[in-house]
Amino acid sequence: MATRCSGKKPLADLALPILEEQRSAIRKSKAGPRRALVLLLVQALMAVHIAHWWATGSTMSPLEPSEGMQFSKSGIVNAGLIFFALTIVSTLVFGRWFCGWACHVVALQDGSRWLLGKLGIRPRMVNLGILGAVPWLAFTYMFLAPIVQRLLHGGDLSVRATHLTTDAYWSTFPSLPVALATFLVCGFIAVYLLGSKGFCNYGCPYGAIFGVTDQLAPIRIRVTDACDGCGHCTAVCSSNVKVHQEVRDYGAVVDPACMKCLDCVSVCPKDALYVGFGAPALATPLRAGVKAPEAGKLSATLAGLALLGAFFAASYAIFLDFDQDLALIPGAGRLVVVLTAASLLVAAVFRGKAQRKREYSAAEEAFLGGSFLLSMYAFRGFHGAVPLLFALGISAILAYLVVQGLRLLYSGEISIQRHVLRAAGRLTSAGTLFAVALVPLGAVWGYAGWTRHELRAAYDEGMRSAADEHFDSAIAAFHHVVELDPGYRDAQMKLASLLCDAGRLQEGIAMFEAVVARSREDAEARALLGFALFQSGDAKRARDELERAVGIAPARAEIHQMLAEVCGAQGDTQAAERHMAEARRLDPRIGN
């Protein structure tokens, strides 16, 4: 029989929002303070890393998973790639431990949840259905799409350079205002509206691969026969895992959302939970006597699969629209097809065994997906101030708010966390305020979307004019693009090149310098800046920039070739021959 607390219903039978009055019966977690200390130490180590760079001018390249994109795009191995690879491999053994014990974004969300708790606010997780696929979409776009594109065009996965140190540590990170805005959106706002792990569930690309590999890990939280289903474990889980239900049905926690925080293990009054070795989640069957969930109708399953496939395809098309390195390569449509098919396969195999109550109809989920994509199209890169992860957080939140606003039109009961917006079919004062607030929000969204549309139209016009050798028209079009979005790196690069080709060297040099100032590790921008300086007669500074570009991207044959030409013009024959020989080694077509 289930343990009873305060003479009331078993906790296993209660929905989590009702557990407030029962919390006094749950013992304090010993794992929580330990994990908080570890997360604080992680932040301290990050601060030491930055301080070392400030003090010495050079340090180990950032231990940030996003740095692994340099290998995907250019074959460059750095400390971030090695770190990310090691965490993925360790997850294959220990499960999804990194998110719970070492992620600075989880620390941010946990801190946000703690502060909200001090205000008496305990955010409820919302199930946004199809948007649960967003983290995998982001991971695939960031890390796999460039690799797939290289392979589709006859490339290989060879290592072209190793950069374990850097003197431009901060070059790949956003500015302080953008970072603070990201923390606010992906931390407090996401936690308050979407639940304690809101960004993890609907935005984090790194959590996607950890969630997949977790299902292959043999080490996970398991249960003994001492468990009586009291539900204390579920009540304290900040990852929204129904621990008591999973250990009852499977004998282990199989939900890939489990971050191995160990709060559940610590609070179990029977000490029935433990971390142990056994079958991975993917191979863990239901326990004897447990009834399998009823399968849905075939028509509904096929409709859901079609909706997911359409969402994958549309998402990749929009993501690639922002990445000219991928989108302009012949066969971009084929890339979308390959990524969509692969993602559907991953979704089918690694969808997990967790059973979550569906909160939205199929039509509402389609609206959620469409709203998310429209927001990504409008806000990503907006005025050079909304990077990918920030845009993912904004878009998940906006999609949720828009669908809640849509429900105001037809739903009898609707709320956002504890705020009741509509009750018994009537709009409340909170609902009226919410509806009014959607108007300026929609106006900003519409402005961002129209700006993006105008930007794309001007960009495409510039590309057509350049192809037709109407250079004045192309320059005018790209000038308009840069006015609309001063941070659009690709448009700035094309404008700078066109200006130089038109003989307006100083204007072109100034535009290249603007790109380099924003991203000091941009080898292509530095190389083209160096060559423009060489054309202007400043050979000394040209050589400095090209040598810096070679240091950043030593496997780029064309940069060695440019540097060889500059060295030769300076009379440094030995250096010119050395760089030309390296260019020919990297690309045998040079000089033939």
Side-chain angles (χ1 to χ4, degrees), residues 207-451:
I209 188 61
F210 292 140
V212 167
T213 51
D214 173 87
Q215 295 181 65
L216 301 173
I219 297 178
R220 51 201 327 106
I221 294 170
R222 303 184 183 278
V223 70
T224 69
D225 292 338
C227 174
D228 61 9
C230 68
H232 290 200
C233 48
T234 298
V236 300
C237 180
S238 61
S239 297
N240 309 299
V241 176
K242 295 181 179 180
V243 181
H244 72 290
Q245 180 176 308
E246 296 212 340
V247 296
R248 178 197 68 198
D249 294 347
Y250 295 96
V253 176
V254 296
D255 193 331
C258 174
M259 298 182 184
K260 311 301 180 285
C261 299
L262 303 184
D263 285 334
C264 59
V265 175
S266 181
V267 303
C268 179
K270 299 291 186 179
D271 293 323
L273 297 177
Y274 68 100
V275 177
F277 186 89
L282 202 62
T284 299
L286 285 165
R287 300 175 95 176
V290 177
K291 184 179 178 181
E294 293 184 7
K297 294 182 178 179
L298 179 60
S299 59
T301 301
L302 292 176
L305 188 63
L307 177 61
L308 184 60
F311 182 60
F312 279 142
S315 298
Y316 288 130
I318 287 179
F319 285 169
L320 292 176
D321 188 59
F322 289 88
D323 196 327
Q324 298 303 313
D325 290 339
L326 292 176
L328 293 182
I329 297 176
R334 182 172 54 157
L335 176 61
V336 170
V337 171
V338 171
L339 296 180
T340 299
S343 296
L344 284 172
L345 178 62
V346 170
V349 176
F350 294 98
R351 62 183 177 180
K353 303 180 188 311
Q355 300 296 315
R356 290 190 172 88
K357 183 179 179 180
R358 186 171 182 173
E359 295 186 26
Y360 295 95
S361 67
E364 288 173 330
E365 285 203 24
F367 199 84
L368 273 170
S371 299
F372 174 85
L373 293 176
L374 287 174
S375 178
M376 282 295 295
Y377 180 82
F379 287 106
R380 185 186 170 192
F382 184 65
H383 287 292
V386 184
L388 177 61
L389 297 188
F390 189 9
L392 291 171
I394 290 175
S395 299
I397 290 168
L398 285 179
Y400 169 66
L401 293 177
V402 166
V403 173
Q404 296 301 92
L406 180 68
R407 282 182 160 186
L408 289 177
L409 301 176
Y410 58 83
S411 179
E413 306 285 337
I414 181 174
S415 63
I416 292 180
Q417 295 302 336
R418 294 184 176 182
H419 302 290
V420 178
L421 306 182
R422 191 176 174 93
R426 301 185 64 180
L427 207 62
T428 66
S429 57
T432 302
L433 287 173
F434 175 67
V436 170
L438 287 178
V439 175
L441 184 62
V444 173
W445 191 347
Y447 168 72
W450 177 253
T451 300

Side-chain angles (χ1 to χ4, degrees), residues 441-479:
L441 184 62
V444 173
W445 191 347
Y447 168 72
W450 177 253
T451 300
R452 170 69 181 169
H453 172 73
E454 190 175 356
L455 180 148
R456 287 303 304 173
Y459 184 95
D460 292 341
E461 174 60 27
M463 292 295 291
R464 284 192 297 269
S465 296
D468 294 337
E469 299 185 356
H470 298 154
F471 298 117
D472 288 341
S473 297
I475 289 172
F478 282 115
H479 259 305

